[in-house]
Amino acid sequence: PTYLFLSLKNLQSRIKQDFKEFYKLLQIAEDSKMSQKIDKIINLYSSKDRFYHNFIHLDEMLDSVKTLPLNDLEKFIIKMAVYYHDIIYDSSSNENEEHSVKLMLKEWSNESSVKFHFGKKQYNLNTILKEISQFILNTKDSRTLLKVKHKQLLKQFLDIDMSILGQDAERVWEYDEQIKKESSWNSENINEFYRQRLNSIELLMRCPKIYHSREFSILEDKTKKNLKLLKQKYSSIKSD
């Protein structure tokens, strides 16, 4: 479809600009490895077996990042977490986050020893990459925050990833069907998929607060309403 093509073109342009800014922040020259990093992200997120965890999901998350008042270092950290948090996605695996971190560290291994200045401080990229790794690993279960230096940024990142649940009901329904399509490997045992989906929805509903940051707390009520609708959907399927 045309809108998918345009979304991919938009992401290609967006990621190239972001990586130029990343390299400028890190004070390293652009090279062929930068293009290879970009191509890797685009190729994996545009895989045909991705229906939700794809380049449109990235685009939506990056739109949310734009609304936050961040400095260049904070933008680097949160955008890197966005680009790499789902770079490996296999709905039959429980280790997507770990594999995504591993790939990110491999992609940036040649630059990991880089030291750069921002403001009046010197930073080690390897240390920053370790923190970004924690951001990604925290998406496995966002109910409990992992220990990081940029705690507020972690809260915002996790909330951006969850904010799909706070959209209009029609979009949430579409998202839920996309998740189902990604789990087509489980088609022989579709009841197990329904059970797992209902369980994850109920876990979220038991959280006193779904969002961690002030910026996204406005989605709390809408998200809980949407979760209630999703629970009704899967409860009725289960009873059938």
Side-chain angles (χ1 to χ4, degrees):
T2 303
Y3 81 93
L4 290 178
F5 174 76
L6 292 174
S7 295
L8 181 55
K9 292 292 288 184
N10 181 52
L11 178 62
Q12 288 172 330
S13 174
R14 198 169 203 171
I15 189 174
K16 286 177 182 177
Q17 183 59 39
D18 280 343
F19 270 65
K20 284 178 178 290
E21 292 175 3
F22 293 170
Y23 271 58
K24 182 179 179 181
L25 172 72
L26 300 175
Q27 297 151 22
I28 54 179
E30 297 176 21
D31 55 14
S32 61
K33 287 186 173 59
M34 186 182 90
S35 296
Q36 290 168 9
K37 291 181 181 72
I38 292 171
D39 289 344
K40 176 79 75 174
I41 291 171
I42 291 171
N43 289 337
L44 287 173
Y45 278 100
S46 57
S47 173
K48 291 182 179 179
D49 59 352
R50 293 186 182 225
F51 298 94
Y52 174 70
H53 297 90
N54 54 20
F55 54 87
I56 296 176
H57 175 47
L58 284 188
D59 227 18
E60 290 174 339
M61 289 187 71
L62 291 168
D63 282 343
S64 293
V65 171
K66 282 177 64 177
T67 67
L68 301 174
L70 306 174
N71 63 40
D72 288 344
L73 179 59
E74 291 168 335
K75 286 179 184 176
F76 172 69
I77 293 171
I78 198 169
K79 285 185 177 182
M80 282 281 288
V82 168
Y83 281 125
Y84 286 100
H85 80 291
D86 284 327
I87 194 163
I88 300 296
Y89 186 77
D90 176 358
S91 62
S92 65
S93 172
N94 291 319
E95 298 184 334
N96 288 314
E97 295 80 8
E98 289 83 357
H99 292 317
S100 292
V101 165
K102 187 176 180 180
L103 178 57
M104 179 190 72
L105 295 177
K106 180 181 178 182
E107 289 289 292
W108 287 83
S109 59
N110 289 329
E111 296 84 11
S112 61
S113 61
V114 166
K115 291 180 174 61
F116 64 98
H117 288 86
F118 180 73
K120 297 181 179 180
K121 293 183 179 180
Q122 184 184 68
Y123 294 87
N124 187 320
L125 180 56
N126 187 52
T127 302
I128 300 293
L129 289 173
K130 287 180 179 177
E131 183 171 22
I132 296 168
S133 298
Q134 291 295 92
F135 276 45
I136 295 171
L137 292 173
N138 213 153
T139 62
K140 200 178 189 91
D141 184 353
S142 62
R143 292 172 298 169
T144 303
L145 297 175
L146 297 179
K147 187 175 181 180
V148 295
K149 182 178 180 181
H150 294 86
K151 188 174 181 179
Q152 181 60 26
L153 199 61
L154 173 61
K155 291 179 179 180
Q156 292 164 334
F157 166 67
L158 294 174
D159 286 353
I160 288 172
D161 196 31
M162 291 293 293
S163 63
I164 182 64
L165 291 169
Q167 305 308 306
D168 292 340
E170 183 180 359
R171 177 66 182 107
V172 174
W173 223 252
E174 179 187 39
Y175 146 78
D176 193 62
E177 287 301 308
Q178 290 168 339
I179 295 294
K180 183 180 175 182
K181 283 184 179 180
E182 285 182 340
S183 301
S184 59
W185 60 271
N186 208 12
S187 59
E188 292 182 2
N189 192 6
I190 194 66
N191 288 331
E192 177 60 17
F193 167 76
Y194 293 147
R195 187 194 65 78
Q196 291 177 4
R197 195 76 178 129
L198 180 59
N199 182 59
S200 64
I201 290 166
E202 289 176 336
L203 281 174
L204 277 176
M205 291 182 73
R206 286 198 288 270
C207 294
K209 294 174 74 174
I210 293 168
Y211 296 98
H212 301 285
S213 67
R214 174 182 52 81
E215 293 86 350
F216 292 90
S217 62
I218 58 173
L219 297 177
E220 195 78 31
D221 290 342
K222 199 170 185 179
T223 297
K224 287 179 178 177
K225 288 179 182 176
N226 287 331
L227 287 171
K228 187 176 181 180
L229 289 173
L230 288 173
K231 181 181 178 181
Q232 290 172 352
K233 171 185 175 180
Y234 285 102
S235 295
S236 64
I237 293 172
K238 188 176 179 182
S239 61
D240 291 343

